[in-house]
Amino acid sequence: DFKPGFRIDLHHKDMGIVTDAARTVGATLPVGTLVASLVASLRAQGDGSLDHSALLRGVERLSGHTTES
């Protein structure tokens, strides 16, 4: 039901820290980059206050499907 536990907004903040740290040391994080992109997309679509399980919504949108929250 996507009720907030650990919100997308908080994941966005944390993924920013991770990607900045990786950039600083020259590390490549292909999966981390993908997750950060999905999280940013969810925030842009107004889902930032939802639980991290709302990542499903982003994947569904990419697949042409939607789930009501």
Side-chain angles (χ1 to χ4, degrees):
D1 63 9
F2 311 124
K3 289 182 183 170
F6 195 79
R7 296 182 329 235
I8 292 293
D9 285 335
L10 296 173
H11 280 292
H12 178 72
K13 174 191 65 77
D14 290 348
M15 291 307 298
I17 293 168
V18 168
T19 55
D20 286 346
R23 191 176 307 114
T24 298
V25 299
T28 301
L29 303 174
V31 174
T33 301
L34 173 61
V35 171
S37 182
L38 286 169
V39 167
S41 175
L42 283 167
R43 289 185 78 235
Q45 294 178 49
D47 291 338
S49 65
L50 300 179
D51 183 71
H52 65 270
S53 61
L55 283 165
L56 172 64
R57 290 170 58 104
V59 172
E60 287 178 331
R61 287 177 183 135
L62 289 171
S63 301
H65 303 284
T66 59
T67 299
E68 297 299 319
S69 59

